[in-house]
Amino acid sequence: MDTTSLGDTVDIARAARLAGVSSRTLRHYDQVGLLSPAWTGDDGRRHYGRPELLRLQHILVLRELGASLDTIGAIVDAEDPAVTVAHLRDHLTGLTAERDRYARLAATVARTIDSLEKGRTMTNEEILDGFEHTKYEPEARERWGDQAVDTSNERWASLGKEGQQRHLDTHREIVEALGAAIRVGFAPDSAEVQEIVAKHYAWVSLFWTPNAETYRGLTQMYVDDERFRRNYDEVAPGAAALLRDAADLYAESQL
């Protein structure tokens, strides 16, 4: 195949690195008809040009806003420019709201620094100002059902501000422990990693008690969904995959 007429393209590995997603994600997008490559080499490697990367940008923006893949497909395949512009305006509204939320968080961090330096006491409300725990609620309702989400919200509210902060701190400890395990080289079946998984399962179960199948599905989502994967892999690449692999063993032996 003569690819010179296609202009500059990048292979799937490069496209994945640029977008901050996995090659597996791009292959999945191709399989479901969401994002086809510009061309595929004889070795099966996919290659993407400017139009495909622009489409990928659109897809990822929608994913960040919590849209399902079916909804994303309907939006990005719209042939009417007016429809596309209308959707882009909706995206802009969502991104602006997210920008404003980050501005609130930045202000909270600035106030915290000021309080620590000057010895000024902050209220619990000031400490947690700007944090939004319902961002992914519509997606969660679609995935897990209304009852599970309603129960989770009730339990979250019942914790109070101090309990909520302890819960957030516990998750941070779990993420950091996974990162340390990656750096040391602990295997998923090691006692150290299994202890981390047990702590994670207990952390999840405060709001919802998954069985073996749903716990495996949850930790697989941590790997498949780049939003969740980044949350774990920020401390060490591969932390989300380690949790998933260890959770599979934990589910088999404990659930």
Side-chain angles (χ1 to χ4, degrees):
M1 175 182 180
D2 182 7
T3 62
T4 56
S5 62
L6 296 175
D8 293 333
T9 61
V10 295
D11 67 11
I12 188 170
R14 176 63 174 163
R17 286 195 297 272
L18 288 172
V21 300
S22 67
S23 296
R24 178 180 177 181
T25 295
L26 295 183
R27 289 194 295 271
H28 178 64
Y29 287 170
D30 185 14
Q31 291 165 0
V32 300
L34 191 59
L35 177 67
S36 299
W39 58 278
T40 303
D42 294 336
D43 59 356
R45 183 175 290 271
R46 295 166 173 81
H47 295 258
Y48 301 84
R50 180 178 175 81
E52 291 74 34
L53 295 180
L54 287 171
R55 184 180 174 94
L56 177 58
Q57 180 208 62
H58 199 178
I59 291 168
L60 295 179
V61 167
L62 288 165
R63 286 296 285 164
E64 288 290 339
L65 295 174
S68 68
L69 292 185
D70 288 342
T71 300
I72 292 172
I75 293 173
V76 298
D77 286 337
E79 297 181 358
D80 186 347
V83 173
T84 300
V85 169
H87 284 307
L88 286 174
R89 290 190 187 280
D90 289 341
H91 305 340
L92 180 60
T93 298
L95 291 170
T96 301
E98 190 72 353
R99 179 202 63 192
D100 293 342
R101 188 176 75 86
Y102 277 112
R104 283 183 63 193
L105 291 175
T108 296
V109 172
R111 285 195 299 270
T112 302
I113 293 171
D114 184 67
S115 71
L116 292 173
E117 289 180 340
K118 299 180 179 178
R120 186 180 68 83
T121 300
M122 295 178 69
T123 66
N124 290 337
E125 288 72 17
E126 288 176 324
I127 292 172
L128 296 178
D129 181 39
F131 289 94
E132 176 56 63
H133 302 291
T134 60
K135 178 181 178 182
Y136 301 117
E137 184 169 313
E139 184 177 352
R141 288 186 181 278
E142 180 179 348
R143 185 186 296 270
W144 308 114
D146 289 337
Q147 183 176 354
V149 174
D150 289 341
T151 299
S152 177
N153 287 343
E154 290 171 3
R155 293 181 180 177
W156 174 258
S158 70
L159 291 178
K161 292 296 185 181
E162 292 184 2
Q164 290 169 2
Q165 185 59 53
R166 285 195 300 271
H167 191 69
L168 295 172
D169 291 343
T170 297
H171 184 253
R172 172 49 52 185
E173 292 169 3
I174 291 169
V175 172
E176 291 177 350
L178 286 167
I182 285 285
R183 290 188 288 272
V184 173
F186 285 142
D189 62 351
S190 66
E192 292 83 359
V193 175
Q194 285 298 300
E195 182 178 347
I196 297 171
V197 174
K199 188 173 184 179
H200 179 265
Y201 182 79
W203 178 80
V204 170
S205 297
L206 184 62
F207 302 106
W208 163 62
T209 305
N211 57 29
E213 180 182 358
T214 54
Y215 189 50
R216 288 190 177 103
L218 177 68
T219 54
Q220 180 65 50
M221 182 186 70
Y222 290 165
V223 176
D224 293 341
D225 192 314
E226 54 266 26
R227 296 168 298 173
F228 292 97
R229 188 176 64 251
R230 284 197 298 267
N231 190 37
Y232 286 89
D233 284 5
E234 67 176 358
V235 293
L242 177 63
L243 175 59
R244 177 205 54 198
D245 295 344
D248 182 56
L249 298 172
Y250 181 86
E252 181 178 358
S253 64
Q254 302 296 328
L255 303 180

